[in-house]
């Protein structure tokens, strides 16, 4: 049984992915009145490392927040594959951008254009959301990252070695990381290098960018988010940046998610009378 409130419903959809050569399931959060003839803005919300399509539903008040903002929210999953076209040939970026986005446009009352479409995520998903928005500004008009792992393409060795004995640590080992990203200097890493993506930023298709991190997050994560802020400032790219109390956990996300959703919602076209046949 999917979670449901008086304000929102959750549907499970399954579509075959040619890019991945397998069927993929997603959860879709809809306003309870989504059959009222209006088209809605849509947010693709990406989970963190090792998560799945149910992670946000189990750990946050997403249903309440999305309903209050009049958002349709799509919850895909990539396990530990980072939502990218990776070193081992898994094409999660192609699936997300070129298959799932149009499938959602066809199946649900969304605006169906970049003006009404955003992407966001936590940790792995936060970095992936910003990377994909920068790589595909004609698809996404806004991107929000919570505790984003922006340094993933630059990582060498195991910067979390000192934390390996801590319960609940969900950071990839060297072997797991390099299965996705390849060794340092790989073509995959270069394709998602944050500095390179920002250097190629298309100012004719501005993306609303929101970066948020917990002040008590892992030192590496806090530093990489601050570096992203500085990189955006140096290039004169408009963005919002926030540090708030919290670590790399769901308690932090509970406080960070509502303002991030509000940012995305303000950057997207509002719900409107349906014009599609």
């Amino acid at each position: 049984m999917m979670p449901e409130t008086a304000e929102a419903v959750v549907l499970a959809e399954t579509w075959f992915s040619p890019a991945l050569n397998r069927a993929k399931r997603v959860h879709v959060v809809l306003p309870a009145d989504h059959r009222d003839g209006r088209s809605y803005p849509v947010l693709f919300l990406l989970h963190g490392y090792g998560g799945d399509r149910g992670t946000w539903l189990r750990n946050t008040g997403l249903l309440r927040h999305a309903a209050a903002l009049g958002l349709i929210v799509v919850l895909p999953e990539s396990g530990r594959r980072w939502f990218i076209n990776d070193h081992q040939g898994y094409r999660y970026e192609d699936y997300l951008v070129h298959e799932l986005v149009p499938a959602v446009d066809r199946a649900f009352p969304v605006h169906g254009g970049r003006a009404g479409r955003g992407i966001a995520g936590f940790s792995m998903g936060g970095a992936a959301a910003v990377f994909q928005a920068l790589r595909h500004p004609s698809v996404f008009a806004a991107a929000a990252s919570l505790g984003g792992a922006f340094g993933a393409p630059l990582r060498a060795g195991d910067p979390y070695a000192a934390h390996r004995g801590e319960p609940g640590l969900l950071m990839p080992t060297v072997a797991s990381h390099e299965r996705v990203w390849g060794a340092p200097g790989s073509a995959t890493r270069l394709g998602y290098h944050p500095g390179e993506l920002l250097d190629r930023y298309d100012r004719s298709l501005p993306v609303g960018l929101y970066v948020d991190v917990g002040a008590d997050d892992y030192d590496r994560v806090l530093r990489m988010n601050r570096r992203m802020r500085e990189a955006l400032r140096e290039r004169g790219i408009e963005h919002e940046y926030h540090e708030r109390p919290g670590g790399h956990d769901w308690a932090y996300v509970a406080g960070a998610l509502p303002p991030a959703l509000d940012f995305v919602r303000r950057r997207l076209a509002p719900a409107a009378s349906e014009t599609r046949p």
Side-chain angles (χ1 to χ4, degrees):
M1 177 70 68
M2 292 292 98
E4 186 169 334
T5 70
E7 297 84 19
V9 296
V10 181
L11 302 182
E13 294 286 344
T14 302
W15 289 297
F16 182 79
S17 166
L20 299 172
N21 195 31
R22 58 175 292 192
K24 290 294 293 180
R25 298 189 72 195
V26 299
H27 289 333
V28 182
V29 179
L30 298 157
D33 56 357
H34 63 279
R35 295 187 180 89
D36 63 1
R38 290 186 293 170
S39 59
Y40 291 85
V42 60
L43 173 67
F44 290 77
L45 188 58
L46 312 183
H47 61 73
Y49 185 74
D52 58 42
R53 61 187 178 276
T55 298
W56 287 98
L57 299 176
R58 293 191 299 270
N59 293 287
T60 73
L62 174 63
L63 293 186
R64 180 176 71 257
H65 301 315
L69 293 170
L71 279 171
I72 290 177
V73 182
V74 180
L75 304 171
E77 64 183 6
S78 76
R80 303 184 177 201
R81 308 308 306 196
W82 286 81
F83 294 99
I84 65 169
N85 290 346
D86 73 24
H87 180 69
Q88 289 192 323
Y90 288 89
R91 294 164 50 205
Y92 271 94
E93 176 177 340
D94 289 346
Y95 158 67
L96 174 66
V97 175
H98 302 302
E99 296 175 359
L100 185 57
V101 165
V104 168
D105 284 355
R106 290 190 298 267
F108 296 102
V110 300
H111 281 306
R114 81 176 294 270
R117 189 184 300 119
I119 187 168
F122 169 51
S123 190
M124 174 189 87
V130 172
F131 293 163
Q132 296 302 350
L134 293 174
R135 286 168 64 89
H136 302 281
S138 64
V139 177
F140 302 106
S145 169
L146 307 180
F150 296 112
L154 312 176
R155 173 179 154 171
D158 185 2
Y160 303 101
H163 301 282
R164 287 292 163 202
E166 298 176 6
L169 177 71
L170 277 175
M171 296 294 184
T173 63
V174 173
S176 296
H177 196 72
E178 293 190 357
R179 277 196 292 271
V180 174
W181 291 98
S186 72
T188 299
R189 291 178 182 245
L190 292 174
Y192 297 91
H193 189 295
E196 295 293 326
L197 293 177
L198 292 176
D199 284 343
R200 298 196 300 268
Y201 182 73
D202 186 350
R203 296 177 190 273
S204 70
L205 289 170
V207 177
L209 295 171
Y210 182 96
V211 178
D212 190 296
V213 66
D216 303 309
D217 206 322
Y218 298 107
D219 182 64
R220 171 179 167 79
V221 176
L222 186 56
R223 284 187 285 109
M224 68 177 70
N225 276 267
R226 289 174 175 172
R227 283 197 295 270
M228 176 59 82
R229 174 190 60 188
E230 293 310 309
L232 289 163
R233 284 178 174 173
E234 289 168 0
R235 291 162 176 81
I237 298 173
E238 183 180 353
H239 64 284
E240 277 194 28
Y241 178 85
H242 300 276
E243 292 182 17
R244 70 186 68 249
H248 204 79
D249 52 35
W250 291 107
Y252 154 74
V253 173
L257 181 61
L261 292 178
D262 183 65
F263 172 88
V264 171
R265 183 65 187 81
R266 286 186 282 108
R267 289 295 184 131
L268 300 183
S273 298
E274 184 62 84
T275 58
R276 296 184 301 173

